[in-house]
Amino acid sequence: MNGEPTPTGTASGSPDGGRFAPAAGAPRTPAGRTSPEALLQALAGDHPERLVHVHEVAARAAVHADWPEWVDPSLLGSLLASGIEHPWSHQVEVAQHAHAGRHVVVSTGTASGKSLGYHLPILSDLVAGASAPNGRGATALYLSPTKALAADQLSRIDALALPAVRPATYDGDTPTDERRWIRDHANLVLTNPDLLHHSLLPGHERWSSFLRALRYVVVDECHVYKGVFGSHLAAVLRRLRRVAARYRSTPTFVFASATVADPEEHASRLLGMPVAPVTVDGSPRASMTFALWEPPLLVDETGQPKRVSTITETGELLAGCVREQVQTVAFARSRAGVEVVARIARERVATSDEGRVAAYRGGFLPEERRELERSLRSKELLGLAATNALELGVDVSGLDAVLLAGWPGTLSSLWQQAGRAGRSGERSLAVLVAADDPLDTFVVHHPEAIFGRGIEATVVDPDNPHVLAPHLAAAAAELPVTEADVEVFGPQTRALLDVLVARGILKKRPRGWFWGREDRPADHLSLRGAGEPVRIVETRTGRVVGTVDDAAAHSQVHTGAVHLHQGQTWVVTELDLDDHAAFAVRGDPGWTTQAQSVSDFQIVHEVEHEAWGPLRCSFGHVTVRHQVTSFLRRLPGGEVLGEHPLDLPPRSLATKAVWWTMPVDELAAVGVPEDGIPGAAHAAEHAAIGMLPLFATADRWDIGGVSTALHPDTGLPTILIYDGHPGGAGFAERGYRRVRAWLGATREAIASCECATGCPSCIQSPKCGNGNEPLDKQGAIALLDLTLRCAGPGPTV
Ligand SMILES: [Zn+2]
Ligand SMILES: [Zn+2]
């Protein structure tokens, strides 16, 4: 429960720290002429079974459309001058919706020019508005999750050189005098949701002229607002709509998303109003060969099944590509992983090519970044290992091949990373190397999960009371909350307002609910996570080296924990709960630790259920109690050195969950006897947790699970999967809505792993609080077969 996702194949030795340093004067080679097929054959060598599947991603021709007749002539002139002759179809679709005042979400591929779609109506209106008496007849707000994106957006708009458009970025670093100018004169403000929450909304009077003219709000990269962060954004957008209405503005919202399964649902939930989707991509795409690769399963010295690590395999493949003179980038999930991939690749190539392999981990100085880009362009550099930090900051595109060490977390990141390969007119190669977990096992054996119709949705729960209540308080401080606002904030609102009044935070008066205190509510609430994080403090110096999520602290940085932080190993000497600090010393003791815990849950309220014959599947509110009780010390081979008790208080989490129950005799009838139920249910629970991120963009630690052979509330064997955040985050609900597909995939992931009795690729979990005991692979398959048979095909969608 609530463990840290294990970095893919972390290094146990110390990384050799090779920063990017190409050998001087390395020979230049012509563009790689090796075909993707020939390259794959060379890479597979004597073990062709590692190459599980090859998919051809067909080229797509561009679909153009005409410029809308209403586009401002000066804007059109700038765009034509910049070389854009015709817009693509999806850009015009977005433009027409927004121009007509319909909220719209565009969800198309990377580099499909999403911003042009909303630039057309917004910049046209800003130009027209400039002739208003105050020079500001129309304004627009652009929200992005990072400053870098806002800066990028600003430079694109600046490049159009439209004198009537006065854009400005407004963030925590903006100097006070500039802030004033921006509030009074800018007609396009580029900022982030945090600033909206902490500054613009609480100080809306100072923004009155801007808000009075507010015509558009752009929410860029809206797929990142998922889980609890998504609930916060949903509340901030509702506050913005309400404050804008105070100034008689009803802005049109434009959402831009990476490609996800249901952008319309996501954007509509974020906004709380219907949003029209634009999902047919009119931009052209080159063809690509996409290979799915599974490292071989071997047996270790203790007889346990053990896969060659994804990182080792990716390092070997990178070396193979470099040997073929194919320019390749390999993406790994952790910095330590990147170092190891590069080191292995260097060891496996000819000495003359060693200097042509580099590791990039982000955090480079601008000149280092430029040097990297230059040597990629000149082909001095043939092999690059990188975290996805590369996605922001360095222009690396047009490579011959991309390797992905493990599922990158989401389908959209997968395509974003794979999209780094391919120069115009030439076929490129992408290879996904499966990591040692059930989701990776499933996708390499079920290519339709990647290449078929998307199943991964971004989820958000706008009604999470833990998030909504403080935002209601903040809203009341901005403008008294009235009866009419209850509709804006959703069905929970009235009950939450009562609670806030009872606690003395709000005051109820005839005209509505008022903020009843001296201070400002927004100061007490951060959008980026709940609970004070625990600091990791170097014992010797008192230096803070990092933080760990409050929820994960007990299992990750308990006293005695060996903790991997940014590729360095630390041993925690003391966890001080009162001080929110874990004191640690640097060094690798030669073992790893794994927290052991006990969990149970109470069903508080079943919101919905489906009867599946003798089985029952439910969604609702639960309280999960979790206590870390001890930890194991293990040698790198897995051998346990000892178990050490811990004295930590239990923690209880009120959240939402999906669960299902199965009668004992039904299980017996499919070959799971009573004493086999704990192992079967536990194994099914692990794999189900591992598979849920394929259906809802969650991280593994956003989700927890508990299974039991007899639950006091249900009286039956029960498997429960819950949101790891107070109040829930939408993941369990998504699991409930897609339960047949989700559990079907879970069953497939277990069955398609070729191990005999279970391994990390199917039913073992790196964060199990029970040391992966008991686990029964065949029992889990039988249990899931029973579940799926009783669930039936379900409602046809
Ligand atoms: Zn297995
Ligand atoms: Zn477990």
Side-chain angles (χ1 to χ4, degrees), residues 753 755 758-759 761-762 777:
C753 184
C755 73
C759 73
S761 298
C762 54
K777 178 168 173 168

Side-chain angles (χ1 to χ4, degrees), residues 158-521:
D158 279 341
L160 293 170
L162 299 167
V165 176
R166 297 181 301 277
T169 54
Y170 191 97
D171 57 42
D173 300 336
T174 310
T176 315
D177 47 341
E178 238 172 82
R179 288 187 173 214
R180 196 193 169 95
W181 182 89
I182 292 169
R183 284 197 299 267
D184 294 342
H185 300 287
N187 53 9
L188 174 57
V189 172
L190 303 108
T191 184
N192 52 63
D194 309 75
L195 197 110
L196 206 55
H197 162 64
H198 285 294
S199 172
L200 192 151
L201 290 171
H204 61 86
E205 286 97 346
R206 288 180 300 168
W207 287 85
S208 57
S209 82
F210 180 86
L211 288 166
R212 213 164 271 131
L214 185 60
R215 190 90 49 97
Y216 296 98
V217 178
V218 176
V219 183
D220 203 0
E221 300 278 309
C222 73
H223 56 278
V224 310
Y225 303 108
K226 63 190 169 73
V228 174
F229 192 23
S231 304
H232 279 295
L233 185 83
V236 168
L237 294 185
R238 282 157 180 72
R239 283 165 55 197
L240 174 62
R241 281 169 49 198
R242 208 177 67 103
V243 165
R246 152 80 179 73
Y247 297 96
R248 305 196 185 287
S249 296
T250 48
T252 301
F253 285 77
V254 179
F255 295 84
S257 169
T259 44
V260 295
D262 200 349
E264 179 184 5
E265 161 90 9
H266 180 60
S268 302
R269 282 180 91 147
L270 282 177
L271 183 60
M273 291 194 284
V275 176
V278 173
T279 55
V280 179
D281 197 329
S283 66
R285 182 177 67 189
S287 68
M288 172 185 276
T289 300
F290 207 124
L292 304 181
W293 192 279
E294 189 170 47
L297 187 69
L298 308 174
V299 174
D300 73 5
E301 51 288 1
T302 63
Q304 290 291 314
K306 192 174 185 342
R307 249 178 231 293
V308 171
S309 101
T310 315
I311 292 296
T312 308
E313 189 83 353
T314 305
E316 303 255 359
L317 293 178
L318 182 58
C321 292
V322 170
R323 279 197 298 269
E324 298 288 326
Q325 305 290 304
V326 170
Q327 197 178 39
T328 304
V329 59
F331 289 107
R333 287 175 71 167
S334 70
R335 290 180 178 201
V338 164
E339 298 290 353
V340 180
V341 167
R343 190 183 67 209
I344 291 173
R346 271 189 224 112
E347 285 166 7
R348 306 281 197 282
V349 297
T351 322
S352 59
D353 278 344
E354 264 176 47
R356 305 179 71 188
V357 178
Y360 175 80
R361 298 158 309 170
F364 271 22
L365 299 170
E367 56 268 30
E368 291 175 301
R369 241 181 266 143
R370 278 193 294 277
E371 173 61 13
L372 178 74
E373 289 174 1
R374 192 197 57 77
S375 42
L376 278 168
R377 272 197 304 275
S378 69
K379 307 278 177 198
E380 279 162 54
L381 193 62
L382 271 183
L384 178 67
T387 58
N388 57 12
L390 196 62
E391 283 178 8
L392 298 170
V394 180
D395 176 28
V396 176
S397 46
L399 303 185
D400 301 316
V402 168
L403 308 173
L404 295 99
W407 180 253
T410 64
L411 204 52
S412 45
S413 318
L414 179 102
W415 285 114
Q416 232 160 33
Q417 297 186 358
R420 296 291 179 172
R423 69 196 76 221
S424 59
E426 276 184 61
R427 285 168 61 206
S428 57
L429 175 70
V431 183
L432 170 65
V433 184
D436 213 4
D437 70 53
L439 197 156
D440 287 61
T441 307
F442 178 81
V443 293
V444 297
H445 290 279
H446 292 82
E448 72 280 3
I450 297 176
F451 307 111
R453 203 169 133 245
I455 49 175
E456 169 188 277
T458 322
V459 302
V460 59
D461 177 4
D463 297 328
N464 178 332
H466 294 256
V467 174
L468 191 52
H471 281 287
L472 282 173
E478 285 149 18
L479 292 169
V481 174
T482 63
E483 287 292 340
D485 295 327
V486 171
E487 203 182 311
V488 174
F489 287 105
Q492 303 267 348
T493 307
R494 185 167 293 279
L496 290 173
L497 288 169
D498 290 344
V499 172
L500 291 167
V501 170
R503 288 200 199 143
I505 295 167
L506 297 189
K507 285 195 171 38
K508 174 92 175 84
R509 298 202 189 114
R511 278 179 40 244
W513 290 266
F514 287 71
W515 177 244
R517 294 161 50 126
E518 294 291 307
D519 51 356
R520 288 170 17 129

Side-chain angles (χ1 to χ4, degrees), residues 604-668:
V604 178
H605 171 54
E606 182 190 68
V607 176
E608 278 181 59
H609 79 276
E610 283 185 34
W612 294 346
L615 278 62
R616 183 186 180 95
C617 180
S618 311
F619 167 72
H621 300 265
V622 298
T623 302
V624 179
R625 227 174 64 106
H626 182 231
Q627 184 170 22
V628 175
T629 51
S630 67
F631 67 97
L632 302 177
R633 284 188 302 139
R634 286 181 192 273
L635 289 175
E639 190 193 334
V640 175
L641 289 172
E643 179 164 0
H644 308 272
L646 289 168
D647 182 22
L648 287 165
R651 302 179 60 120
S652 116
L653 174 71
T655 186
K656 290 182 187 137
V658 52
W659 67 92
W660 77 102
T661 58
M662 303 142 283
V664 174
D665 52 345
E666 295 288 337
L667 284 165

Side-chain angles (χ1 to χ4, degrees), residues 682 685-686 768-770 772:
H682 188 201
E685 172 219 317
H686 278 185
C768 180
N770 283 318
N772 282 307

